[in-house]
């Protein structure tokens, strides 16, 4: 046991605050749409208690010993709704089969970091979740000690049962729940040793599995309310355009249509957070009785658009002021490429410089230089953007899929003219996130629409709306150079990377610190196309580029690609170049995943016809190495197998983490190989899945093996890290299979494959 | 607007909607059967898959006026208690990540097994290729289809 003070997040553990802001009001969810009996039967197959006793903001215990655990974070498919409550349950010492999980609403009094972003759900709440369970366990013990008049230290808690061995007394948690709920919150509690975990580290099935497989309402799009109207919106057809005027007379006459109007999202002077970002501040709105009627009416509005002037957006990101310049005009992908190339040939901003890279390249006997690029991507969550709002004169209720409820709440409150405490936000399960739902402009949109209509409203984007009004993954471009001396030693390394509108460079990541003469530079190109975070931002390109280039360097040196990386990591660990504290990776853990993947993939034991590529990357505090095997069939590459080795510290729910790792591999292969969003006159060429290609079942690897490094380090990121490196492993294996290097994503457009 | 009598999940349902309304929106907006999902509206992603007389069909481009007396089965009607072999296999393999596409995947898989109880790997991939899973659970989908086939046979 480890003693810890309960101060972190202590507010959450003090009983009465939890009710502030509608914290734990049961039944206040869209299951109201179901018959109560049905809803209950669906929620759990457990017998429900007659009475619940709230122990703290994370959990309540029923008189029959059933425990409800709140899952605070948005569930976008990363499994937090299962894995976060597992952490609470483990410290509480309760059988997982006696646990009911509920989605917590946004409550900044109770919870911290209610965000699905940065792969931080588990790591940022790890301590709080453990304390929530451990605090309750301690309060139950104290209740039993009082009831039995024995010292609390003699009471043990195991699997929902309190025991006093000396007297032989036992009681279920349910029996002590009422008394425990009256106990003072302990000043100090004991956390389990990692060796004592009984739920953490064991695979538990998705708590929503049954509802998902039987089609029960779970997602934002499934929300239904009495008197609810449907809203759709029409945005400018191109970036660089804005609304001039519209004529909606015909649309208003269509059956079921209640109103057509335009809304402005934000006032010019609104102090925007980066996540308030939106592509189009003014849109035309159609409100009607049913989705199909609204979708049809959208097409019947005559709208005149005009050119938008150049603009500068002032945004705040975690306290830092940012300025984004949006030039006027309609942009093309070809122009972006030209501008990136022009910037590449100019002077970049030096982000890190070790030794004397200029001299190293000057005296080099040989230099290799390679350039890499990738297009914009749309997130394409399978559930398009949507949200529900019911705004009355003095209150706003919002319900739906968002990755950032806390950060959107001020924007909604500001737009409605309501104080923050009058805005309640609840989260549904979400049909994917990938970063798109970090930008919750649709919440402000639906709130403004509901306020105007004085009715509950669900805003629905079509797939085309979703894909053509994105907050896209930027387009990136990077050039790598390596200098070799006459004895073929690597003596210099230069990376220069830029993008539209941000650079993908991480100057202090590997191989920084491992090469004597190192130069990292970056640059940016302004755009009026909205971009933002996409699963593993920036890493999702630079990892593949860097790992492909290192493969070429290893080949140039005549070294095995894993041995070569391990040599560099050894150097970074034992005798780092430059400021060692600046390196944001742990060379030993980095090497650890490479060694593990070497072992598990039987690296070095070549099989005829199997072409292998390796890659390893660090991001979101985790380390992932992957080996990808290709066989050629009819001149087409078939990914036969991927072996992943992952170090993300303690793995809370191994099978769910494995699922995520498999998904990351498929997602990474898919985007590197097939996907891209291009622009012509400010309009995306791809607006639905007929032209936007996503990886499909037949294109996924035939097998994926996932191995985790076993350690007792507190959990680090898991949702994003398996995604970026696979792109490098794919490119490297394609080279082995086809004899050709792949530099430009999506690889499928680069050439015809030949074995 | 027009009145249609539809055979859905073994029951006759009467709706009064525009004849062009796709079955997807009839199910979701008018019959409160929201398990069938909207993904693309152009029959490219498979999220809206239902059974039309036993065949996997994209409901997003299927006008209500075109179905006549055909039997429609949705994810809600696939089994009484969510215990169809495909649903059970999906739970056992713990397929879903976000879960949004999975009702459509299950409807495609169950229609496949109805016609071909023992599909090989190639047949499974071919049959499931029209259903996009953005989370990338394709390997688990294949595994669950195989498991369901083995349990049913």
């Amino acid at each position: 046991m480890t003693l810890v003070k309960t101060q972190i997040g202590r507010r959450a553990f003090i009983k009465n605050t939890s009710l502030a802001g509608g914290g734990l009001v049961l039944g206040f969810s869209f299951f109201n749409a179901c018959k109560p009996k049905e809803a209950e039967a669906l929620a759990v197959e457990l017998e429900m208690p007659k009475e619940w006793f709230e122990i703290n903001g994370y959990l309540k215990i029923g008189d029959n010993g059933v425990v409800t655990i709140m899952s605070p974070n948005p569930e976008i498919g990363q499994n937090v709704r299962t894995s976060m409550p597992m952490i609470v349950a483990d410290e509480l010492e309760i059988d997982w089969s006696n646990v009911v999980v509920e989605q917590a609403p946004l409550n900044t009094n109770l919870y911290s970091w209610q965000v699905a972003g940065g792969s931080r759900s588990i790591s940022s709440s790890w301590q709080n979740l453990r304390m929530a369970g451990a605090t309750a366990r301690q309060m139950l013990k104290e209740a039993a000690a009082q009831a039995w008049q024995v010292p609390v230290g003699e009471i043990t808690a195991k699997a929902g049962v309190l025991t006093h061995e000396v007297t032989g007394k036992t009681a279920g948690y349910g029996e002590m729940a009422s008394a425990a709920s009256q106990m003072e919150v302990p000043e100090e509690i004991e956390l389990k040793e990692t060796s004592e975990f009984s739920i953490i580290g064991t695979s538990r099935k998705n708590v929503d599995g049954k509802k998902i497989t039987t089609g029960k309402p779970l997602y934002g799009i499934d929300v239904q309310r009495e008197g609810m109207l449907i809203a759709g919106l029409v945005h400018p057809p191109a970036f660089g355009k804005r609304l001039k005027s519209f004529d909606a007379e015909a649309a208003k006459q269509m059956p079921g249509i209640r109103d057509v109007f335009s809304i402005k999202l934000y006032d010019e002077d609104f102090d925007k957070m980066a996540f308030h970002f939106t592509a189009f501040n003014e849109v035309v709105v159609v409100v009607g009785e049913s989705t199909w009627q609204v979708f049809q009416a959208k097409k019947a509005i005559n709208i005149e658009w005009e050119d938008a002037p150049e603009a500068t957006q002032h945004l705040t990101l975690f306290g830092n002021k940012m300025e984004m310049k949006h030039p006027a005009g309609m942009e093309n992908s070809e122009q972006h490429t030209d501008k990136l190339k022009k910037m590449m040939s100019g002077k970049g901003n030096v982000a890190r410089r070790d030794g004397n890279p200029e001299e190293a390249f000057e005296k080099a006997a040989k230099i290799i230089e390679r350039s890499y690029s990738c297009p914009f991507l749309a997130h394409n969550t399978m559930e398009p953007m949507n949200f529900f709002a019911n705004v009355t004169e003095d209150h706003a209720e919002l319900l739906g899929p968002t990755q950032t409820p806390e950060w959107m709440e001020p924007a909604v409150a500001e737009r409605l003219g309501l104080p923050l405490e009058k805005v309640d936000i609840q989260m549904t399960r979400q049909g994917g996130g990938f970063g798109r739902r970090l930008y919750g402009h649709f919440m402000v949109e639906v709130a403004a629409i509901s306020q105007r209509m004085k009715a509950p409203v669900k805003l629905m984007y079509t797939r085309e709306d979703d894909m053509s009004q994105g907050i896209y993954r930027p387009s990136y471009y990077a050039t790598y150079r390596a200098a070799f001396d006459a004895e073929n030693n690597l003596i210099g390394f230069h990376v220069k990377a830029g993008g539209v509108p941000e650079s993908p460079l991480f100057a202090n990541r590997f191989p920084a610190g491992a090469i004597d003469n190192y130069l990292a530079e970056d640059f940016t190109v302004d755009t009026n196309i909205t971009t933002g975070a996409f699963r593993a931002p920036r890493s999702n390109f630079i990892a593949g580029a860097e790992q492909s280039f290192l493969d070429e360097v290893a080949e140039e040196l005549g070294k095995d690609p894993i041995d070569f990386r391990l040599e560099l990591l050894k150097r970074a660990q034992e005798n780092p170049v430059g400021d060692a504290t600046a390196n944001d990776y742990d060379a030993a853990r980095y090497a650890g995943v490479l060694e593990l993947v070497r072992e598990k993939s039987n690296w070095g034991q070549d099989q005829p016809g199997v072409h292998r590529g390796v890659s390893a990357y660090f991001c979101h505090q985790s380390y992932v190495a992957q080996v990808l095997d290709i066989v050629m069939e009819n001149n087409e590459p078939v990914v036969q197998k991927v072996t992943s080795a992952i170090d993300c510290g303690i793995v809370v729910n191994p099978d769910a983490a494995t699922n995520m790792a498999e998904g990351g591999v498929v997602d990474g292969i898919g985007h590197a190989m097939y996907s891209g969003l291009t622009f012509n006159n400010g309009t995306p060429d791809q607006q639905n899945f007929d032209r936007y290609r996503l990886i499909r079942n037949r294109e996924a690897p035939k097998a994926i093996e996932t191995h985790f490094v076993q350690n007792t380090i507190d959990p680090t990121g898991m949702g994003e890290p398996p995604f970026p490196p696979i792109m490098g492993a794919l490119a490297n294996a394609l080279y082995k299979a086809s004899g050709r290097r792949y530099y430009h994503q999506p690889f499928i457009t680069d050439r015809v494959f030949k074995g | 607007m027009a009145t249609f009598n539809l055979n859905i999940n073994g029951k006759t349902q009467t709706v009064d909607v525009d004849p062009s309304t796709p079955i997807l929106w009839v199910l979701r907006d008018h019959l409160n059967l929201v398990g069938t999902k909207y993904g693309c509206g152009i029959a490219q992603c498979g999220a809206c898959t239902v059974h039309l007389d036993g065949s996997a069909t994209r409901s997003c481009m299927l006008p209500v006026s075109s179905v006549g007396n055909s039997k429609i089965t949705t994810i809600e009607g696939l089994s009484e208690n969510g215990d169809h072999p495909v649903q059970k296999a999906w739970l056992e393999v713990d397929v879903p990540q976000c879960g949004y596409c999975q009702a459509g995947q299950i409807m495609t898989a169950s229609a496949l097994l109805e016609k071909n109880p023992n599909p090989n790997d190639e047949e499974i991939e071919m049959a499931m290729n029209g259903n996009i899973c953005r989370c990338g659970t394709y390997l688990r989908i294949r595994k669950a289809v195989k498991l369901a086939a083995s349990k049913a046979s």
Side-chain angles (χ1 to χ4, degrees):
Chain A
M1 294 274 186
T2 311
L3 275 181
V4 296
K5 301 279 183 202
T6 55
Q7 273 151 351
I8 305 170
R10 189 174 161 82
R11 273 182 307 176
F13 306 140
I14 297 169
K15 187 172 177 285
N16 290 331
T17 57
S18 62
L19 288 171
L24 285 175
V25 186
L26 249 188
F28 182 55
S29 79
F30 68 101
F31 281 118
N32 286 344
C34 309
K35 293 180 191 108
K37 224 179 166 183
E38 190 189 351
E40 203 163 272
L42 294 173
V44 270
E45 287 156 9
L46 286 170
E47 195 180 324
M48 286 295 109
K50 291 184 187 69
E51 204 174 349
W52 287 106
F53 300 98
E54 195 185 321
I55 309 294
N56 58 46
Y58 288 87
L59 66 101
K60 57 191 170 184
I61 302 178
D63 54 14
N64 64 349
V66 170
V67 177
T68 294
I69 300 179
M70 307 304 288
S71 183
N73 281 37
E75 170 64 72
I76 57 172
Q78 81 282 47
N79 195 254
V80 289
R81 204 184 274 187
T82 306
S83 49
M84 292 181 94
M86 282 173 65
I87 299 167
V88 179
D90 201 324
E91 286 287 356
L92 176 62
E93 265 302 336
I94 179 87
D95 270 347
W96 183 243
S97 58
N98 268 331
V99 172
V100 180
V101 172
E102 246 182 65
Q103 176 72 54
L106 173 67
N107 190 327
T108 52
N109 283 327
L110 287 179
Y111 313 110
S112 56
W113 193 259
Q114 282 183 282
V115 174
S119 290
R120 285 182 53 184
S121 293
I122 297 288
S123 64
S124 64
S125 292
W126 173 242
Q127 204 71 358
N128 278 2
L129 294 165
R130 293 182 66 189
M131 277 197 287
T135 304
R137 164 165 44 83
Q138 183 62 23
M139 288 159 78
L140 286 158
K141 281 184 179 177
E142 282 172 11
Q146 275 191 17
W148 299 333
Q149 292 295 301
V150 297
V152 68
E154 292 179 6
I155 292 180
T156 56
K158 185 108 191 120
V161 178
L162 297 151
T163 304
H164 185 246
E165 265 189 39
V166 185
T167 57
K169 288 189 163 136
T170 64
Y173 280 6
E175 296 169 63
M176 291 296 166
S178 172
S181 69
Q182 304 301 317
M183 289 287 151
E184 285 286 314
V185 178
E187 287 288 329
E188 211 171 46
I189 45 152
E190 287 178 318
L191 294 182
K192 287 178 160 185
E193 296 296 338
T194 53
S195 60
E196 296 173 305
F197 287 152
S198 57
I199 296 175
I200 294 166
T202 65
S203 293
R204 306 292 164 147
K205 295 205 188 299
N206 191 321
V207 295
D208 286 334
K210 184 85 177 176
K211 291 179 198 164
I212 291 168
T213 55
T214 53
K216 297 299 177 290
L218 269 177
Y219 302 90
I221 191 180
D222 301 338
V223 173
Q224 303 277 6
R225 275 298 164 81
E226 191 67 38
M228 184 181 84
L229 298 172
I230 304 290
L233 49 82
V234 187
H235 63 79
F239 290 86
K241 291 279 187 190
R242 67 177 181 187
L243 180 66
K244 187 182 180 193
S245 65
F246 64 96
D247 170 8
E249 284 322 300
K252 281 182 184 174
Q253 300 310 311
M254 291 172 72
I257 298 307
R258 295 286 186 88
D259 206 354
V260 180
F261 49 87
S262 65
I263 54 165
K264 266 192 179 160
L265 230 51
Y266 303 113
D267 286 338
E268 303 275 305
D269 59 350
F270 175 57
D271 188 10
K272 261 190 261 175
M273 199 181 174
F275 300 99
H276 301 159
F277 210 30
T278 182
F280 302 106
N281 196 47
E282 189 174 18
V283 290
V284 177
V285 177
V286 183
V287 184
E289 286 158 18
S290 74
T291 314
W292 183 247
Q293 289 171 325
V294 167
F295 284 2
Q296 296 310 104
K298 283 169 61 173
K299 300 175 197 161
I301 310 168
N302 289 315
I303 308 180
E304 229 186 304
W305 311 101
E306 63 183 9
D307 291 349
E310 67 170 19
T312 303
Q313 286 210 60
H314 301 276
L315 302 164
T316 316
L317 183 62
F318 305 127
N320 300 318
K321 298 267 180 214
M322 290 163 45
E323 222 176 57
M324 291 200 83
K325 287 196 165 60
H326 301 305
M330 267 61 77
E331 300 174 14
N332 297 315
S333 292
E334 290 78 15
Q335 290 170 350
H336 291 150
T337 305
D338 291 346
K339 282 184 184 171
L340 286 167
K341 284 185 174 164
K342 197 169 159 225
M343 291 298 289
M344 186 63 84
S345 63
K347 216 168 156 50
N349 309 304
V350 175
R352 176 161 170 165
R353 188 176 176 278
D354 294 330
N356 193 337
E358 295 81 2
E359 192 188 69
F361 279 91
E362 213 162 281
K363 70 177 189 194
K366 183 173 57 185
I367 293 170
I368 60 170
E369 178 178 321
R370 304 287 183 258
S371 291
Y372 303 80
S373 70
C374 70
F376 288 88
L377 293 176
H379 295 79
N380 284 326
T381 60
M382 287 311 291
E383 180 187 17
M385 297 306 111
N386 68 83
F387 225 84
F388 169 86
N390 188 14
V391 179
T392 59
E393 257 176 39
D394 59 354
H395 185 257
E397 177 206 352
L398 280 91
L399 170 63
T402 169
Q403 292 180 241
T404 54
E406 180 175 343
W407 300 336
M408 288 314 299
E409 196 180 32
V412 172
E414 165 86 16
R415 179 61 176 79
L416 296 175
L418 287 173
L420 211 54
E421 61 271 21
K422 295 293 181 192
V423 177
D424 282 332
I425 300 178
Q426 293 204 65
M427 290 154 276
T428 55
R429 192 179 179 84
Q430 318 193 15
F434 309 104
R436 180 60 183 87
R437 294 188 220 273
L438 294 167
Y439 308 94
H441 52 87
F442 42 83
M443 298 166 71
V444 186
E445 288 160 2
V446 73
I449 298 166
S450 173
Q451 187 176 46
R452 176 169 171 143
M453 295 303 294
K454 296 185 171 59
V457 173
K458 180 167 66 179
L459 172 66
M460 291 281 306
Y461 279 38
T462 62
R463 173 60 59 194
E464 289 82 0
D465 296 333
D466 192 280
M467 217 180 286
S468 59
Q469 190 187 342
I471 312 281
Y472 307 110
R473 194 280 297 271
S475 165
Y476 297 124
Y477 189 52
T479 296
Y480 283 85
R481 294 162 71 219
F484 303 84
D485 67 13
E487 283 76 49
N488 207 29
N489 296 305
L490 175 63
I491 56 166
F493 193 91
H494 178 204
V495 52
K496 189 169 176 185
V500 185
E502 64 163 10
S503 163
L505 183 71
F506 290 97
N508 294 315
R509 284 192 184 162
F510 185 75
I515 298 168
D516 283 314
N517 302 299
Y518 173 89
L519 178 63
E521 299 177 276
D522 60 16
F523 60 88
T524 60
V525 170
D526 291 336
T527 180
N528 58 26
I529 296 164
T530 39
T531 64
F534 184 106
R535 191 178 198 173
R538 301 175 293 286
S539 304
N540 60 35
F541 164 70
I542 204 81
E546 167 203 298
Q547 291 293 311
S548 298
F549 187 67
L550 289 178
D551 208 63
E552 284 203 59
V553 174
E555 188 180 38
E556 205 62 45
L557 294 168
K559 290 180 178 171
D560 172 83
I562 293 184
D563 290 345
F564 170 59
R565 286 168 173 83
L566 289 174
E567 267 175 40
L568 290 176
L569 286 161
K570 191 161 184 261
R571 171 75 199 275
Q573 195 181 350
E574 291 175 355
N575 180 25
V577 179
D579 177 7
T581 59
N583 297 341
D584 67 357
Y585 62 94
D586 178 330
R589 290 179 76 185
Y590 217 132
V593 290
L594 272 164
E595 284 159 359
L596 184 63
V597 87
R598 180 167 63 182
E599 176 204 326
K600 297 294 184 185
S601 69
N602 297 314
W603 183 261
Q605 299 173 26
D606 292 340
Q607 295 173 54
V610 179
H611 312 282
R612 320 193 87 178
V614 66
S615 175
Y617 200 65
F618 159 83
C619 68
H620 303 87
Q621 306 308 314
S622 292
Y623 302 80
V624 178
Q626 290 158 330
V627 168
L628 183 146
D629 298 347
I630 282 177
V631 293
M632 296 302 287
E633 288 177 13
N634 306 321
N635 293 336
E636 289 293 318
V638 174
V639 182
Q640 194 180 49
K641 186 175 177 183
V642 171
T643 310
S644 297
I646 302 173
D647 180 352
C648 61
I650 293 167
V651 183
V652 175
N653 193 356
D655 187 53
T658 300
N659 197 347
M660 285 274 286
E662 292 165 1
V665 163
V666 173
D667 192 7
I669 293 172
H671 281 102
M673 193 77 153
Y674 305 113
S675 306
L677 189 84
T678 53
F679 286 88
N680 192 5
N681 272 320
T683 302
D685 294 319
Q686 302 78 14
Q687 305 210 358
N688 207 326
F689 298 131
D690 51 349
R691 298 196 66 191
Y692 194 103
R693 187 165 172 191
L694 286 172
I695 190 169
R696 289 176 180 270
N697 199 311
R698 290 183 70 192
E699 294 148 351
K702 301 303 166 198
I704 301 176
E705 251 184 40
T706 308
H707 303 274
F708 293 99
V709 173
Q710 303 293 322
N711 60 34
T712 56
I713 299 167
D714 284 355
T716 51
M718 183 57 223
E720 293 165 275
F723 176 59
I726 195 66
M727 305 186 192
L730 173 65
N732 297 339
L734 281 172
Y735 166 65
K736 293 285 183 187
S738 68
R740 191 181 187 282
R741 293 277 177 187
Y742 287 81
Y743 300 107
H744 304 288
Q745 295 180 16
F747 299 148
I748 195 80
T749 58
D750 210 24
R751 57 154 271 135
V752 178
F753 300 99
K754 275 187 185 151
Chain B
M1 306 291 258
T3 301
F4 298 93
N5 294 314
L6 303 167
N7 183 338
I8 297 173
N9 298 332
K11 279 190 260 179
T12 301
Q13 304 267 13
T14 305
V15 291
D16 184 27
V17 295
D18 185 278
S20 72
T21 311
I23 285 295
L24 169 68
W25 297 111
V26 172
L27 295 169
R28 295 189 55 84
D29 280 359
H30 301 279
L31 299 172
N32 204 20
L33 291 168
V34 296
T36 307
K37 297 294 192 258
Y38 167 69
C40 68
I42 58 166
Q44 291 289 314
C45 79
C48 67
T49 305
V50 298
H51 295 174
L52 189 69
D53 290 331
S55 293
T57 304
R58 310 293 185 233
S59 66
C60 71
M61 290 192 85
L62 184 67
V64 64
S65 57
S66 72
V67 299
N69 296 322
S70 296
K71 286 182 186 159
I72 296 166
T73 306
T74 72
I75 184 74
E76 291 91 343
L78 186 62
S79 63
E80 186 88 354
N81 301 305
D83 54 2
H84 184 283
V86 172
Q87 289 169 312
K88 281 161 76 175
W90 241 253
L91 288 176
E92 194 172 329
V93 177
D94 212 13
V95 176
Q97 286 186 35
C98 88
Y100 189 81
C101 74
Q102 300 295 348
Q105 305 275 3
I106 289 169
M107 295 311 283
T108 301
S110 52
L112 164 71
L113 295 183
E114 201 59 47
K115 290 189 167 64
N116 179 1
N118 279 303
N120 61 29
D121 292 356
E122 176 71 14
E123 289 166 336
I124 292 172
E125 286 177 27
M126 285 291 279
M128 302 309 298
N129 209 46
N131 288 69
I132 296 174
C133 172
R134 177 65 181 82
C135 300
T137 65
Y138 295 128
L139 279 81
R140 285 181 185 237
I141 288 168
R142 295 177 199 153
K143 192 175 165 187
V145 175
K146 271 192 194 173
L147 180 66
S150 72
K151 290 274 169 79
S153 60

